[in-house]
Amino acid sequence: MKKIPAGAEASNVLVGEVDFLSRPVIAFVRLEHSVLLGDLTEVPIPTRFLFILLGPPSEETARYHEIGRCIATLMSDEVFHEVAYKANNRDDLLAGIDEFMDQVTVLPPGNKA
């Protein structure tokens, strides 16, 4: 806890599969005020953002996890993080993602040998 700055807030990325859905459902939530969500985080800091992706079991399940990793990477970027705080609608978030993608170099995954 000593290395976590005062006023720090968490972003939680939750991804999973459920058999009662026929297609994926995604929610990106910014809470008006950060709240402690029990043991959801490894350390007791309040949560401000939640990203939830639930989808049916399929051959595409690995993609759910990749999407979660991408969102976690976005939320760790200082510029996108500020966009997420200030966004008024979905278009603002999408513009922030576009800006992020314009500024990064994406490397393809290595061989899984």
Side-chain angles (χ1 to χ4, degrees):
M1 290 293 295
K2 291 180 181 178
K3 294 184 179 185
I4 298 174
E9 296 176 323
S11 298
N12 293 297
V13 178
L14 308 167
V15 177
E17 30 176 77
V18 291
D19 58 5
F20 56 83
L21 290 175
S22 59
R23 62 188 180 100
V25 176
I26 297 174
F28 184 85
V29 179
R30 177 184 63 207
L31 301 173
E32 185 174 354
H33 302 285
S34 58
V35 294
L36 284 171
L37 296 176
D39 292 332
L40 187 59
T41 57
E42 291 182 26
V43 293
I45 60 174
T47 295
R48 175 66 67 133
F49 295 98
L50 291 164
F51 176 83
I52 303 166
L53 166 58
L54 295 174
S58 72
E59 300 82 37
E60 302 295 318
T61 299
R63 286 191 177 184
Y64 301 162
H65 295 282
E66 291 300 315
I67 291 168
R69 290 177 60 200
C70 291
I71 294 297
T73 301
L74 277 169
M75 292 307 294
S76 68
D77 179 73
E78 289 180 23
V79 174
F80 180 79
H81 200 252
E82 285 302 311
V83 168
Y85 267 99
K86 297 175 182 175
N88 291 317
N89 54 44
R90 182 172 64 172
D91 291 335
D92 291 347
L93 283 174
L94 293 174
I97 292 170
D98 286 342
E99 179 66 25
F100 176 82
M101 293 304 296
D102 288 343
Q103 302 300 321
V104 299
T105 302
V106 179
L107 300 174
N111 291 338
K112 294 181 181 179

